[in-house]
Amino acid sequence: MSLTLEKFRSLINEKLTAWVELTVKNLPNVVIAFVVFLLFFLLSKVFSRWIQNLLDRVFQSHQITGLIAGVCRIIFIAIGFFFALDIMGLSKAVASLLAGAGIIGLAIGFAFQDMTENLIAGVAMGIRKPFQVGDVIEADDVFGTVKAINLRNTLVETFFGQLELVPNKILFRNILTNYSYNGVRCIEIPVGISYADDIEKASEVIVEKINQCDFVIKKQETAVYAEGFDDSSVKLLVWFWINYPGHKGFMQARHEGVANIKHALADADISIPFPIRTLDFGIKGGEKLSAMMSSRRADDTETE
């Protein structure tokens, strides 16, 4: 028993001696590796601050610049860590860590796919800048004013006073209309006039009346177009331009436009007809009700 303990003690001493010798031998490399890692760690702060200041000139969102700067700092520190391991002769450990990081990154990507997609969409929109805070946008079922832009979602206030938290991937994937980009908007109002009235006269009086509104811009482009024939009227489309957003909202401008069109047509004695239906009782068509009733009475008389 004592022989076994002595052998075990001897083995431990040999291992400890070997480890001490290896540590003393590699001590300069350990010190150099520590200095290199510390240097990379300190420089990462300077590097991330420089990256953020540079990106602040490109992006308007401080969150996006902070995220990119933070990712760059982590990558910078990771490079320093791998350099330190390589200096200590742990190249195999570096390869294992890189492989493990790849597998972990892949697993995280699958687990948080939706979150990652929103983040990527947020960064992409920060680069493209399709809209800004205060713009009126429409995409998919979203229509309202942008109140805040975050990395994962965008806060939109609808015209019904509700706040909608919209994932960025929805705004990135779908067709997006920015009504505030050009600062102007065309309003289209359909109207029908009687077949007995003159289209050119109706167009003239409508354009003249619409251009009297103070909120109408590009008055030379105010126009009326004949779209086609309806069941009981000739269909016209009235186009005029307003500043948008402006002192006169879209709904109010359209309301006043409809009211002015009605007044203009009424003053010119041009009618906006009610729906008219013509009843044809003949099998082949063209037979009026009065003629049909007279024929029926005559047949009844002959029968009697």
Side-chain angles (χ1 to χ4, degrees), residues 5-253:
L5 291 175
E6 185 66 26
K7 186 177 180 181
F8 182 70
R9 188 182 299 109
S10 175
L11 183 61
I12 292 177
N13 289 333
E14 289 178 3
K15 288 292 182 181
L16 290 175
T17 303
W19 288 347
V20 170
E21 290 177 355
L22 184 62
T23 302
V24 173
K25 182 180 179 180
N26 291 329
L27 186 60
N29 292 339
V30 173
V31 174
I32 295 174
F34 178 77
V35 172
V36 168
F37 178 75
L38 183 62
L39 183 63
F40 269 84
F41 183 81
L42 296 176
L43 288 176
S44 66
K45 294 183 178 180
V46 180
F47 179 70
S48 65
R49 191 178 299 113
W50 177 77
I51 288 291
Q52 186 163 0
N53 291 335
L54 181 64
L55 294 177
D56 280 336
R57 304 174 185 175
V58 180
F59 301 104
Q60 295 183 347
S61 175
H62 187 72
Q63 290 182 321
I64 293 178
T65 59
L67 174 66
I68 297 176
V71 171
C72 291
R73 183 183 180 188
I74 293 173
I75 293 174
F76 201 82
I77 293 174
I79 292 173
F81 180 70
F82 290 139
F83 266 125
L85 290 179
D86 189 61
I87 290 173
M88 291 189 297
L90 300 175
S91 56
K92 292 183 179 180
V94 173
S96 300
L97 286 174
L98 288 175
I103 295 173
I104 293 173
L106 187 63
I108 292 175
F110 277 111
F112 298 95
Q113 183 177 1
D114 190 68
M115 182 184 297
T116 305
E117 188 175 1
N118 284 322
L119 285 173
I120 294 174
V123 173
M125 289 194 301
I127 296 173
R128 292 171 52 190
K129 298 179 182 177
F131 55 83
Q132 301 175 1
V133 174
D135 287 353
V136 177
I137 64 171
E138 181 179 10
D140 199 21
D141 294 330
V142 181
F143 190 24
T145 305
V146 178
K147 290 299 181 181
I149 303 173
N150 302 315
L151 284 174
R152 293 184 56 242
N153 46 59
T154 299
L155 187 64
V156 177
E157 182 180 3
T158 68
F159 294 110
F160 298 100
Q162 306 302 315
L163 291 177
E164 294 185 352
L165 202 62
V166 186
N168 286 332
K169 67 178 183 180
I170 293 179
L171 302 178
F172 189 72
R173 284 178 177 178
N174 296 281
I175 296 175
L176 187 144
T177 304
N178 188 343
Y179 290 97
S180 302
Y181 185 81
N182 292 326
V184 295
R185 184 172 180 180
C186 180
I187 296 180
E188 178 184 274
I189 300 175
V191 61
I193 63 172
S194 171
Y195 279 100
D197 293 314
D198 183 57
I199 296 177
E200 299 301 327
K201 180 181 178 182
S203 301
E204 182 180 345
V205 297
I206 290 174
V207 170
E208 182 180 357
K209 190 69 173 179
I210 289 294
N211 282 340
Q212 292 176 3
C213 300
D214 57 351
F215 56 83
V216 175
I217 62 172
K218 299 183 180 182
K219 297 182 184 294
Q220 70 279 4
E221 296 185 21
T222 302
V224 178
Y225 301 100
E227 183 184 19
F229 302 98
D230 209 344
D231 293 338
S232 55
S233 64
V234 179
K235 296 175 65 177
L236 305 179
L237 292 178
V238 182
W239 282 13
F240 60 92
W241 293 85
I242 63 171
N243 287 315
Y244 191 81
H247 71 282
K248 185 74 67 174
F250 173 82
M251 298 296 291
Q252 184 63 29

